[in-house]
Amino acid sequence: MVMVGENISLRPLKIEERIMFFKWATRSDATPYWYGELYHDEIPSYIVFKHEWPDYYFNHDQPHKGRCFAILHDNRPIGQINYNEVHQEDNSTELDIIIAKSEDQNHGFGPEAIRILTHYLFDVMRLNICRAEILHKNPRAISAYKKAGFQSVRKFIRDGLAWEIFETCNT
């Protein structure tokens, strides 16, 4: 299954590509927006990362638990986008995205990937709400979700950090 957009496409990440995702999240230009000082945490080892991102994210055995997709530009993987476990009470999920290299950022690939995945989640998986919980010190992510049509619904403080929740609904 490949989802094609105007400038990028999404395809499911394979289990053997989890190491690539790990490197994007822990050793790329985007790492400070996933782990580290900004979040008051440490960059995880691969063992810890595998625990945080179990096998079902990389196969289609349990689609309601979550799934990772490669973001491809000119058939070159430039990042990852995923949805997490579907919440049955409101038929919703949370999204995460990473564009690994600075040279691939600020071209609109993030908002396009968010729109493509959101359409899939609404049209194929029949979800009602997609949301993103974003650290307020991550303006690039806030901008990407806003450009993809998400709206701010709530701000809160957790562990001394300011967060904002963005949502879009299946209408």
Side-chain angles (χ1 to χ4, degrees), residues 10-22:
L10 305 181
R11 69 152 171 77
L13 270 176
K14 301 171 193 139
I15 192 79
E16 61 269 16
E17 294 176 308
R18 180 169 33 199
I19 189 73
M20 178 175 63
F21 174 24
F22 169 73

Side-chain angles (χ1 to χ4, degrees), residues 93-112:
T93 191
E94 185 177 338
L95 308 183
D96 301 295
I97 186 170
I98 188 168
I99 305 290
K101 294 182 180 179
S102 295
E103 65 200 44
D104 293 317
Q105 297 170 356
N106 300 313
H107 296 291
F109 302 146
E112 185 175 356

